[in-house]
Amino acid sequence: MFRLSLTYAQKLFLLATLPLLLAVAAIAIVVTNQSRQLAEREIQQLQTELIAAKREELKNYLSLARTAIINIYGRAAPDDEAAKLEVSRILSSMLYGQDGFFYVFDYAGNNLVAPRQTNLIGRNWAGLEDVNGIPITDVLIEQARTGGGYHAFDWFKPSTRETARVVTYTIGLQDWRWAIGTGIFIDDILATVATSRAEVEARVRQTFYYIIAITIGALLLVFLSGLILNVRERRLADAKLKALTQRIFDTQEEERGRVARELHDSISQILVSVRYALDLARRRIAKGDARAGESLDKGFETLSEAIVEVRRISRDLRPGVLDDLGLGPALKALIEDFSDRTGIETSFETVVFRNRLDQDAKIALYRIAQEALTNIERHAEAERVTLDLRGHKDGATLRISDDGRGLEDATAARQERSGLGLRNMQERIEQLDGTLRILSSKTGTVIEAQVPLSHLLPPEGKTKVSA
């Protein structure tokens, strides 16, 4: 029979280390569970606030729709078919984003407006349910009857042709017995939350294995150092998660505010002008006034301005030319639009790259240029702006210079400003392991961003790809 014989020192070592191992294991489990619970609470809060923001966005869209039709609806009788047809046309033309549109059902369940799914129009959809058995049409009509409300269900997403979760907001036009609403797909929010949850879980597991490995390797030392490390990592993780959440909200609010200002200051005013022009044309036509054509021409001209403005806003959010043609053409289009908008004299220089920039570098350099031009337009009072992009043996360099009044303290400005300002430029370039230099004086400012060689990819065969 085999008997394990232990010396006194071994017994003492085992007696001393076993409680430490158990304590370290217990601490690791507690820290892991607390980190997971805290992260889950933060993620749930993030999801709730993002969905609440989407709901508020729905109300804003519906307010725009009501503004567009309120004059027609307010003057129309309950049986005014011409007014109903005009309102249907207006709502059918009000598309936004890749999937946004307005829908209309009468209280009997007949679909009157569905511009992105015309197969629904003219058919009765009472009793319609989604793939999970959630009622759709009946709930929307009931909400319209009772003053409006939100509803969530799975529906066909036009841009991807797949089923995704959508949140809708519906109101009623009681005189016409109409239910009018719009919806926003929230699959991007759900995907972001799922990704965040998976990342948190992976980090929690990694931390647990890390503690166990250190404990096995060095017992008492690992117990003490592991405990300190876990507390520190937990605090850092909490701080980073809170900072990330706040940064997402700040960025989202700033971008939403910018878009809202753009819509209010340009699109909304232009559309109001179109409405007045068309209304004037309608009155002149009713009176037989020969100047009705002039009013229509003015309305069409103003509507063309609205289309151009919408395209400009869309290009600012995500320029298609960046993906289609590369960084060089995208920057050229950006600075040309800047010159046309501000009247500031500009010049753009670049050289053909022997290698290609990867996608991260393209986006970072484009956003840096975009932010720099925005700062120049708002603050610099410059008369000339030069933008230079070129590749070299050390990587790629983007240089933006102006002859404006400069920054009082470029370093302090970079540290103190939050959002999408100079601080964001620095963070973008640091993620690429690059460098950002800001040289400023009373005679102008120079911003130089350099991307290292690691972000220049070899050409793909004989195909020529721009920077």
Side-chain angles (χ1 to χ4, degrees):
M1 183 176 178
F2 177 78
R3 296 181 63 184
L4 181 61
S5 179
L6 298 177
T7 64
Y8 178 80
Q10 290 172 334
K11 292 179 180 179
L12 183 61
F13 178 78
L14 183 60
L15 182 62
T17 56
L18 185 58
L20 294 178
L21 291 173
L22 294 175
V24 170
I27 291 172
I29 292 174
V30 170
V31 171
T32 298
N33 289 336
Q34 288 182 346
S35 297
R36 184 180 290 111
Q37 292 172 5
L38 178 60
E40 184 63 27
R41 287 197 298 269
E42 295 287 346
I43 290 172
Q44 289 294 339
Q45 181 181 359
L46 174 62
Q47 179 179 355
T48 300
E49 294 183 3
L50 288 177
I51 292 178
K54 289 283 189 180
R55 288 187 170 188
E56 192 64 26
E57 193 173 352
L58 282 177
K59 281 191 174 181
N60 293 336
Y61 287 142
L62 210 52
S63 295
L64 291 176
R66 293 184 64 179
T67 301
I69 67 173
I70 190 64
N71 287 339
I72 300 174
Y73 173 71
R75 295 194 299 265
D79 58 349
D80 190 342
E81 296 300 326
K84 293 180 179 180
L85 180 59
E86 181 64 20
V87 169
S88 298
R89 290 175 178 173
I90 292 174
L91 294 175
S92 296
S93 64
M94 295 182 70
L95 305 177
Y96 57 91
Q98 290 183 323
D99 304 293
F101 64 94
F102 293 90
Y103 57 80
V104 177
F105 290 90
D106 63 23
Y107 284 0
N110 298 306
N111 182 268
L112 306 178
V113 174
R116 294 195 187 272
Q117 292 178 279
T118 55
N119 60 302
L120 302 178
I121 300 175
R123 298 173 61 184
N124 187 283
W125 296 99
L128 177 66
E129 297 179 345
D130 71 356
V131 295
N132 300 315
I134 299 176
I136 299 176
T137 310
D138 296 345
V139 173
L140 299 180
I141 293 174
E142 182 62 23
Q143 289 176 337
R145 289 177 182 271
T146 57
Y150 297 99
H151 188 38
F153 51 89
D154 290 337
W155 191 246
F156 176 81
K157 188 174 184 180
S159 62
T160 62
R161 300 186 180 276
E162 297 177 355
T163 300
R165 180 53 58 102
V166 64
V167 175
T168 63
Y169 184 71
T170 307
I171 62 172
L173 298 183
Q174 306 303 336
D175 291 346
W176 290 358
R177 298 176 61 81
W178 278 14
I180 298 179
T182 186
I184 291 182
F185 288 90
I186 59 171
D187 52 331
D188 55 338
I189 293 178
L190 299 179
T192 299
V193 170
T195 300
S196 299
R197 186 172 285 113
E199 291 176 352
V200 168
E201 189 65 27
R203 286 198 299 268
V204 169
R205 287 197 303 269
Q206 183 179 7
T207 302
F208 180 81
Y209 295 146
Y210 183 69
I211 294 172
I212 296 300
I214 296 297
T215 303
I216 294 176
L219 296 177
L220 181 59
L221 177 62
V222 172
F223 170 74
L224 297 175
S225 61
L227 181 60
I228 296 173
L229 180 62
N230 274 277
V231 172
R232 179 176 177 273
E233 287 295 327
R234 179 184 171 186
R235 291 176 179 174
L236 288 177
D238 293 346
K240 288 181 179 179
L241 187 58
K242 292 179 181 178
L244 176 60
T245 302
Q246 188 61 44
R247 183 65 180 275
I248 290 174
F249 290 154
D250 291 345
T251 303
Q252 183 186 49
E253 289 303 321
E254 184 168 345
E255 185 65 15
R256 183 175 295 156
R258 187 186 70 82
V259 174
R261 288 192 298 271
E262 293 276 5
L263 292 175
H264 180 271
D265 296 342
S266 59
I267 302 299
S268 179
Q269 296 181 12
I270 293 174
L271 291 178
V272 169
S273 299
V274 173
R275 187 190 66 186
Y276 284 133
L278 295 180
D279 186 58
L280 179 60
R282 181 182 59 79
R283 292 198 302 269
R284 287 180 173 176
I285 290 174
K287 295 179 181 179
D289 193 334
R291 294 176 297 169
E294 297 178 4
S295 298
L296 286 175
D297 291 340
K298 179 63 176 177
F300 288 130
E301 179 182 349
T302 310
L303 189 58
S304 298
E305 294 178 6
I307 293 173
V308 172
E309 192 68 12
V310 169
R311 288 175 177 171
R312 181 186 67 79
I313 295 173
S314 176
R315 186 173 64 249
D316 288 344
L317 292 174
R318 178 65 181 184
V321 67
L322 182 63
D323 298 322
D324 298 337
L325 301 179
L327 181 60
L331 290 177
K332 183 178 180 182
L334 177 66
I335 199 168
E336 287 177 351
D337 178 72
F338 170 82
S339 179
D340 294 339
R341 185 176 66 255
T342 63
I344 298 175
E345 181 183 355
T346 61
S347 64
F348 174 68
E349 297 181 4
T350 186
V351 295
V352 178
F353 284 9
R354 292 186 300 172
N355 297 320
R356 299 178 300 114
L357 279 172
D358 63 19
Q359 190 67 14
D360 291 340
K362 288 181 184 179
I363 295 174
L365 291 180
Y366 182 86
R367 293 303 184 191
I368 288 173
Q370 192 176 41
E371 180 63 29
L373 292 178
T374 300
N375 290 341
I376 292 172
E377 180 180 357
R378 293 177 179 175
H379 310 296
E381 300 180 1
E383 297 181 357
R384 179 175 177 79
V385 177
T386 301
L387 193 150
D388 183 273
L389 173 69
R390 60 189 65 244
H392 45 77
K393 65 179 182 179
D394 296 325
T397 299
L398 173 67
R399 181 184 176 93
I400 307 108
S401 59
D402 66 77
D403 60 355
R405 61 181 183 178
L407 300 173
E408 293 181 359
D409 188 344
T411 302
R414 183 168 64 250
Q415 292 176 346
E416 295 175 3
R417 184 179 174 183
S418 61
L420 299 177
L422 298 177
R423 178 182 176 185
N424 198 33
M425 292 186 195
Q426 183 69 40
E427 291 177 356
R428 285 185 182 276
I429 207 67
E430 285 179 353
Q431 290 179 353
L432 302 176
D433 297 324
T435 58
L436 180 70
R437 298 174 59 211
I438 301 177
L439 305 175
S440 182
S441 66
K442 295 182 179 180
T443 59
T445 301
V446 176
I447 297 177
E448 184 176 281
Q450 182 170 330
V451 175
L453 192 62
S454 59
H455 289 276
L456 287 174
L457 306 178
E460 298 178 352
K462 297 182 179 180
T463 302
K464 294 183 178 179
V465 183
S466 63

